[in-house]
Amino acid sequence: MNGIHDLGGRDGLGAVAPPESEPVWKAEWEKHAHTFFPLAFKAGMFGVDQFRFGMELIPPVHYLTSPYYEHWVDSVAYHGERTGFWTAEEIEKRYQHYLSNPDEPLPPDQDPDGELIAFLNAAIPAGVPAGRDTGKAAKFSVGDTVTVTSDAPRGHTRKASYIRGRTGVVVLAHGEMIYPDTAGNNQGEAPEHVYTVQFTNEELWGAEAAEPNGTVTFDVWEPYIRPAA
Amino acid sequence: MSTTEKATHQEQIAARVKAIESLMIEKGLMTTAAVDRLAEIYENEVGPQLGAKVVAKAWTDPDFKKRLLENASTACAEMGIGGLQGEDMVAVENTDDLHHVIVCTLCSCYPWPVMGLPPNWYKEPAYRARVVREPRKVLSEEFGLDVPDSVEVRVWDSSSEMRYWVLPQRPAGTDGFTEEQLAALVTRESMIGVAYAKQP
């Protein structure tokens, strides 16, 4: 979707202003929000592509101005409702309750066998690989010159606006991986070959605006590209 | 809190997180013990000290460096490093002619197993928007890093599950340093590409 999350190349967003140092978690709730991600995944609410789409659906002003981990909370709330774990009314009722009773403790843990901690201990070092091998032949090779299609899907995609219609060179080929344009839209993995394409600054921004001697690489799935004309 | 008081945004988010968490706990999908464990992992176990060890080894062991540049995931696995959000890693080497910098313009993708969780500025809009369009200006104005025009600046936008990170150049004056001494010169920022490794 042409959402505000698709930020590459936008102007006017101000200073980066990195602080000297900062804690991993800026507030207690951020730890809890982070833990939603692996455990809601384990519960079957989403895969990583769906999780990202949940964040892309956040209204633009809120997306740009809210603390980072609130994006995760919004996506988990959306997918929990979508998959039938709760209703918006249930969340709202409990939200009002905890807003009025902020110090009330959470319900007691129910995990007598420690299954959830065992899951974290296993999944974090092992990861959840997105690579797949269906045996499909790759249509492109390193060195090929390719153009990104200009289609602008309304659902989830990883085809950023700033590379659409642009021409670059394939510099790496990674094999098949889960395809975000199906997986993120609840339509399954449908793996496609992934390539890294390198674009010159001039191709992306025009000769007048481009910085000298620079390139950007961007990973594309095979359906995103065509042989350059 | 009475209805006449206005909750701060932080109080509102904290209440919303509790609302969702209470539902997940009642369904047996989450525990506060799991929150403590996850925080322990990313506060004390998985952080940029791991990537620094990998870089120091690459600086001192040419065969390892070759394996790292061929396949960063399998090379890191030799050192017991890998996992979530770094299943498929690519290390890109800075040279006298080439300076790399990483970003995720579409969200916040970052190689957690070697660098821990990303700093907030990496996840926020300004860096994501600007670094693909004016990387030299961002490096210079925001990070005090002036890359000469003779050096190509290559920005890696992590749009897929491939996770790129930078193998910085070994600083001069470090001949004979141990891997441990070298690792102390490798910062998170040097593996993002917004800084060089520290001078001894």
Side-chain angles (χ1 to χ4, degrees):
Chain A
M1 61 180 282
N2 282 342
I4 198 70
H5 71 282
D6 183 1
L7 282 161
R10 285 182 196 271
D11 294 326
L13 285 156
V16 178
E20 279 292 310
S21 66
E22 63 182 358
V24 174
W25 318 102
K26 292 169 91 173
E28 178 63 24
W29 67 264
E30 292 191 349
K31 294 179 195 177
H32 298 253
H34 189 122
T35 310
F36 286 156
F37 169 61
L39 296 184
F41 169 83
K42 179 181 186 293
M45 289 183 205
F46 49 69
V48 68
D49 296 288
Q50 291 161 308
F51 182 61
R52 291 191 184 114
F53 190 49
M55 293 190 270
E56 293 164 9
L57 294 170
I58 297 169
V61 172
H62 186 57
Y63 184 93
L64 290 175
T65 55
S66 52
Y68 174 73
Y69 277 109
E70 192 174 0
H71 299 182
W72 290 29
V73 177
D74 288 338
S75 186
V76 169
Y78 166 80
H79 284 293
E81 187 183 343
R82 180 183 68 82
T83 51
F85 284 88
W86 49 66
T87 63
E89 292 72 28
E90 270 179 295
I91 301 270
E92 177 63 20
K93 193 175 160 208
R94 286 181 189 231
Y95 166 67
Q96 293 297 341
H97 176 79
Y98 282 115
L99 201 56
S100 305
N101 304 277
D103 298 325
E104 185 178 304
L106 287 158
D109 284 353
Q110 300 183 56
D111 185 24
D113 302 325
E115 188 206 339
L116 297 175
I117 288 177
F119 172 77
L120 295 179
N121 285 337
I124 289 173
V128 183
R132 297 291 183 268
D133 186 9
T134 71
K136 192 159 53 174
K139 286 184 188 159
F140 300 95
S141 309
V142 169
D144 288 354
T145 302
V146 297
T147 301
V148 181
T149 71
S150 56
D151 298 304
R154 292 185 185 276
H156 179 67
T157 183
R158 298 290 279 182
K159 191 168 58 174
S161 314
Y162 81 95
I163 58 140
R164 291 180 199 157
R166 305 300 182 191
T167 296
V169 178
V170 175
V171 293
L172 295 170
H174 303 292
E176 295 171 80
M177 302 181 96
I178 297 172
Y179 186 41
D181 298 48
T182 52
N185 298 312
N186 317 324
Q187 291 165 11
E189 294 188 347
E192 295 284 358
H193 279 275
V194 176
Y195 309 91
T196 301
V197 178
Q198 186 178 0
F199 303 90
T200 64
N201 287 353
E202 189 171 333
E203 171 69 10
L204 295 175
W205 315 116
E208 209 170 303
E211 284 187 351
N213 198 15
T215 59
V216 176
T217 75
F218 192 97
D219 292 349
V220 295
W221 283 258
E222 200 164 85
Y224 292 2
I225 52 176
R226 302 280 180 267
Chain B
M1 186 179 301
S2 80
T3 49
T4 53
E5 291 175 63
K6 187 159 169 54
T8 67
H9 191 52
Q10 286 287 321
E11 287 166 345
Q12 291 171 348
I13 304 168
R16 187 138 171 272
V17 167
K18 269 189 152 176
I20 295 170
E21 187 166 350
S22 68
L23 282 160
M24 287 186 66
I25 288 174
E26 286 172 10
K27 294 172 196 295
L29 304 176
M30 182 160 170
T31 57
T32 56
V35 176
D36 293 342
R37 177 65 192 128
L38 184 129
E40 172 71 15
I41 290 170
Y42 288 109
E43 281 173 7
N44 299 318
E45 297 173 19
V46 177
Q49 75 281 1
L50 298 180
K53 280 170 67 176
V54 177
V55 169
K57 188 170 172 61
W59 282 346
T60 53
D61 180 343
D63 289 334
F64 177 77
K65 180 174 145 183
K66 188 164 178 284
R67 295 198 297 281
L68 180 71
L69 295 175
E70 278 170 6
N71 186 326
S73 295
T74 55
C76 289
E78 292 176 27
M79 302 175 70
I81 294 168
L84 197 63
Q85 285 296 310
E87 294 86 351
D88 295 284
M89 295 190 288
V90 175
V92 289
E93 184 187 15
N94 281 350
T95 67
D96 290 343
D97 305 314
L98 188 54
H99 181 84
H100 301 283
V101 58
I102 63 166
V103 66
C104 174
T105 64
L106 292 170
C107 46
S108 56
C109 301
Y110 190 78
W112 295 359
V114 286
M115 285 154 73
L117 302 180
N120 275 286
W121 60 259
Y122 180 89
K123 304 181 284 190
E124 287 169 354
Y127 177 77
R128 290 162 49 195
R130 290 176 56 193
V131 80
V132 290
R133 175 152 161 82
E134 47 184 17
R136 289 176 191 276
K137 193 172 174 192
V138 169
L139 293 175
S140 174
E141 285 185 0
E142 306 285 354
F143 297 94
L145 184 73
D146 292 305
V147 181
D149 280 0
S150 59
V151 176
E152 177 188 331
V153 172
R154 185 173 301 170
V155 182
W156 294 78
D157 191 348
S158 312
S159 49
S160 78
E161 298 308 323
M162 303 305 301
R163 291 287 171 274
Y164 303 95
W165 56 274
V166 179
L167 175 60
Q169 283 188 286
R170 179 170 172 166
T174 58
D175 289 352
F177 274 39
T178 64
E179 281 184 39
E180 197 175 23
Q181 287 172 312
L182 289 169
L185 305 176
V186 183
T187 60
R188 172 178 75 188
E189 285 71 21
S190 71
M191 292 182 283
I192 296 173
V194 297
Y196 298 134
K198 287 194 280 190
Q199 294 295 321

